[in-house]
Amino acid sequence: MLKLVKFIFILILIGVINSSADHPKLHDKRSQANFLLNFPQSYYLTDINPASLSLSTIENLTVLNDPEINFVWLQYLVERGEYNKARFLWSRIPSEIPSEKLNEFVDLLVMQQRWQEIARLAEHVYSSDRLDVLLAMQSGVNANKLTKAQLNYFAINTLPDRLNFASECKNSVLLLADHFSAYQHLKRLRAQYIQNPEPEENSFCLSKVFYLGNTLDCKQGFKGFASCNINTALPETDFYILMTKNGLANVRESQMTLTLKSDINVMVHELMHFSGFEDEYPIYGQKAKWLCNSEGLKAPNLFVGTAEQAPVGWVKAKTCQNGILDAYKPSPKWSKMQFQELPLSEQYRQLWQKKIHQDWLFEEQNVAKSTSSIIN
């Protein structure tokens, strides 16, 4: 009897859809919404594309628990950052999603840096090489294990044999990343720096960002500083910037290590370290012992000794408060070498420019002497 009632209801519903002036395909969005609200099951008797329906209509149709409706609703929630609501839908979406729609959704999640959701998506849809490669790169898979076609999914650059920089470049810098998020973040920092180079154009010429994966062997090391060991041959360059997940940004000789928390202010601060600038906040341990135990100009922004010996106008800095002697800096104001988030002052910009030009001339003279020796 119940089956007969359902059959009669479906016949009546078909008749309503075929004859009614409220047919969802024949009128505006409001008519569609009202009709589907009253007759949600009619969705199955039409060929309406769920993606064309309004948000409120899709929400009303979720009572059907239909995979296609659920997927469109999931997209809406993710676009609006409502991840808590979305978490119940991952297992209810179609296992087979057209590649174009799937790629668009994956790209949205990548833009939002929602890796937990990307992993959930991978659990509930049929395997996709593009999605598998993305997760592999996020885990830091070695670049050598990926094909050129797989790298092209996300326009990933891999390390060339040699780099080419403009002849006007004072310092060449190679950019390397150990996983996908690091690659994307370093690309953003590079774009920001190129838009506003410090201390002036051609001071530091940045290469493209190259993906190396776990070949960089990065970890959080001594006192929480990020540390990377490069386990491959690199093309010749003056400096390296390495991007990884965790730890404190730092510079060790010609190598800078940044993390996902590093912004452009941190990067510029660390570039100043490449030019020999010292921190103006208190330093500790062995560094305080060797930096603060003898008199002299130790950096473009730091003199160690007494107030009488310091350059005119320089004031006491906090750098050596844990050392034997005092330290002095060029300005009484806070600087970028004390607080990274501060803008670069014109005074420090000029000091930085002067140091870069001095180093450049010194290097050019050495090259000229070396060339002369070979000729003679």
Side-chain angles (χ1 to χ4, degrees):
M1 184 66 180
L2 183 59
K3 288 184 179 179
L4 179 61
V5 171
K6 286 184 177 180
F7 179 71
I8 294 171
F9 173 76
I10 290 172
L11 288 178
I12 294 172
L13 188 59
I14 291 173
V16 169
I17 291 175
N18 288 333
S19 61
S20 173
D22 293 324
H23 191 303
K25 292 180 65 179
L26 301 180
H27 288 281
D28 57 31
K29 296 286 186 181
R30 181 176 295 180
S31 298
Q32 288 184 4
N34 290 336
F35 191 86
L36 289 170
L37 176 61
N38 293 316
F39 304 102
Q41 293 291 338
S42 67
Y43 168 76
Y44 293 115
L45 303 175
T46 68
D47 61 354
I48 295 175
N49 179 358
S52 69
L53 297 172
S54 68
L55 175 57
S56 59
T57 302
I58 289 294
E59 185 173 14
N60 289 331
L61 290 177
T62 54
V63 298
L64 301 174
N65 199 24
D66 176 81
E68 288 189 353
I69 292 292
N70 287 339
F71 181 63
V72 175
W73 181 236
L74 178 64
Q75 288 177 295
Y76 277 127
L77 293 176
V78 168
E79 285 172 1
R80 287 156 180 75
E82 298 182 37
Y83 305 110
N84 287 333
K85 286 185 180 180
R87 72 179 186 272
F88 300 108
L89 288 169
W90 293 103
S91 61
R92 302 177 185 177
I93 61 176
S95 55
E96 187 172 0
I97 299 172
S99 60
E100 185 176 350
K101 284 187 177 181
L102 180 60
N103 292 343
E104 288 176 0
F105 192 40
V106 169
D107 290 342
L108 172 63
L109 291 169
V110 168
M111 183 177 67
Q112 296 175 337
Q113 292 294 294
R114 300 298 301 189
W115 290 99
Q116 185 177 10
E117 278 72 22
I118 293 173
R120 282 175 174 168
L121 179 65
E123 290 176 359
H124 297 293
V125 299
Y126 287 148
S127 179
S128 157
D129 187 52
R130 188 173 183 272
L131 183 54
D132 291 343
V133 167
L134 175 64
L135 290 171
M137 286 194 295
Q138 181 64 5
S139 68
V141 65
N142 192 307
N144 294 332
K145 294 185 178 180
L146 300 173
T147 67
K148 186 175 181 180
Q150 290 174 326
L151 292 165
N152 285 341
Y153 287 146
F154 301 96
I156 300 296
N157 298 312
T158 54
L159 201 62
D161 294 328
R162 59 179 299 176
L163 300 170
N164 295 313
F165 294 96
S167 58
E168 300 85 2
C169 180
K170 305 293 189 302
N171 296 286
S172 58
V173 186
L174 174 60
L175 308 184
L176 303 170
D178 73 341
H179 70 290
F180 185 84
S181 288
Y183 184 91
Q184 297 293 89
H185 188 48
L186 193 50
K187 278 181 65 176
R188 289 190 289 271
L189 293 184
R190 177 183 184 272
Q192 287 178 274
Y193 179 81
I194 289 174
Q195 187 174 5
N196 184 31
E198 292 286 8
E200 61 185 353
E201 194 172 357
N202 293 316
S203 295
F204 293 92
C205 299
L206 308 185
S207 74
K208 293 179 180 179
V209 181
F210 299 104
Y211 174 85
L212 283 186
N214 55 24
T215 302
L216 279 184
D217 187 22
C218 297
K219 57 184 179 297
Q220 191 169 325
F222 178 69
K223 292 188 177 180
F225 288 105
S227 175
C228 300
N229 297 312
I230 305 172
N231 296 320
T232 188
L234 297 178
E236 186 176 350
T237 187
D238 296 317
F239 297 104
Y240 308 91
I241 296 180
L242 318 178
M243 175 67 74
T244 186
K245 292 180 182 179
N246 302 309
L248 301 173
N250 64 98
V251 163
R252 297 178 183 177
E253 298 179 350
S254 63
Q255 180 174 304
M256 179 194 306
T257 308
L258 301 176
T259 71
L260 297 179
K261 294 181 180 179
S262 304
D263 60 15
I264 189 63
N265 288 313
V266 173
M267 180 174 163
V268 172
H269 172 97
E270 301 299 341
L271 284 173
M272 294 179 77
H273 280 310
F274 276 163
S275 298
F277 281 73
E278 288 289 350
D279 293 317
E280 293 175 4
Y281 52 77
I283 60 174
Y284 298 89
Q286 290 299 318
K287 186 172 182 180
K289 288 182 179 179
W290 66 257
L291 182 64
C292 306
N293 69 350
S294 61
E295 300 171 351
L297 187 66
K298 300 302 178 75
N301 67 318
L302 199 73
F303 176 85
V304 174
T306 64
E308 294 76 21
Q309 297 168 317
V312 176
W314 286 37
V315 299
K316 192 172 181 179
K318 294 183 178 181
T319 307
C320 288
Q321 71 177 32
N322 298 304
I324 297 172
L325 300 172
D326 290 327
Y328 295 85
K329 60 178 185 171
S331 172
K333 297 179 180 179
W334 291 339
S335 81
K336 200 168 192 64
M337 296 313 295
Q338 186 171 359
F339 296 103
Q340 298 169 346
E341 62 272 20
L342 291 177
L344 183 66
S345 69
E346 188 56 35
Q347 181 184 15
Y348 275 65
R349 181 176 288 111
Q350 290 178 11
L351 283 172
W352 195 4
Q353 289 171 344
K354 180 180 177 181
K355 181 61 164 59
I356 288 175
H357 282 281
Q358 286 176 340
D359 291 345
W360 170 251
L361 288 174
F362 180 76
E363 182 65 25
E364 289 289 287
Q365 289 170 358
N366 283 343
V367 170
K369 288 179 181 177
S370 175
T371 303
S372 177
S373 298
I374 293 173
I375 293 174
N376 293 334

